[in-house]
Amino acid sequence: QVQLVESGGGLVQAGGSLRLSCAASRRTLNNYHMAWFRQAPGKEREFVAAISWSGGSTYYADSVKGRFTTSRDNAKNTVYLQMSSLKPEDTAVYYCAAVPMVHTIPVLTPTGYDYWGQGTQVTVSS
């Protein structure tokens, strides 16, 4: 069982930046590919970014490519999402998720992930 806890969300003006963190407990993240999803009110949960277990490969949704960067520090058991040039349409609850490394990534659908954090709210004002 992997327990994930996101942090770093908040209110930011358009054009600003935030860094989200996803810390794991109970198990090391070394054996998991990780991803970020987001869900806005009234919308389905959507893929944002993914990173392989080693950090050697990353994947991004077209809507965030060039603005968001995901990284990981396995020694700290933490995954990050650096968000820059934020837009009001980035407003959502952001979740991190984990899938065992035996799977091929990127896994773009929420149902493909075994473990989820509770989410952190990101609000971008115009």
Side-chain angles (χ1 to χ4, degrees):
Q1 186 84 7
V2 177
Q3 191 169 29
L4 303 173
V5 178
E6 301 96 335
S7 61
L11 174 64
V12 63
Q13 289 189 331
S17 299
L18 280 175
R19 188 177 82 156
L20 306 183
S21 298
C22 172
S25 60
R26 297 190 179 179
R27 281 195 181 180
T28 177
L29 284 183
N30 293 19
N31 299 324
Y32 294 87
H33 302 309
M34 300 296 295
W36 292 91
F37 284 77
R38 66 186 181 187
Q39 188 165 19
K43 295 188 176 182
E44 293 186 351
R45 193 167 297 190
E46 65 173 358
F47 171 80
V48 174
I51 186 167
S52 62
W53 68 272
S54 66
S57 298
T58 55
Y59 307 86
Y60 299 94
D62 287 343
S63 59
V64 307
K65 202 170 293 184
R67 300 188 298 121
F68 292 11
T69 302
T70 188
S71 61
R72 64 192 298 161
D73 185 339
N74 284 345
K76 295 183 177 180
N77 238 17
T78 303
V79 180
Y80 304 99
L81 183 68
Q82 177 67 48
M83 306 184 294
S84 303
S85 302
L86 283 161
K87 305 175 181 179
E89 51 263 45
D90 293 318
T91 295
V93 177
Y94 283 70
Y95 300 89
C96 64
V99 64
M101 62 185 289
V102 296
H103 294 268
T104 300
I105 67 165
V107 179
L108 302 180
T109 57
T111 54
Y113 289 84
D114 295 339
Y115 304 104
W116 291 86
Q118 83 290 348
T120 185
Q121 176 71 46
V122 172
T123 303
V124 185
S125 63
S126 56

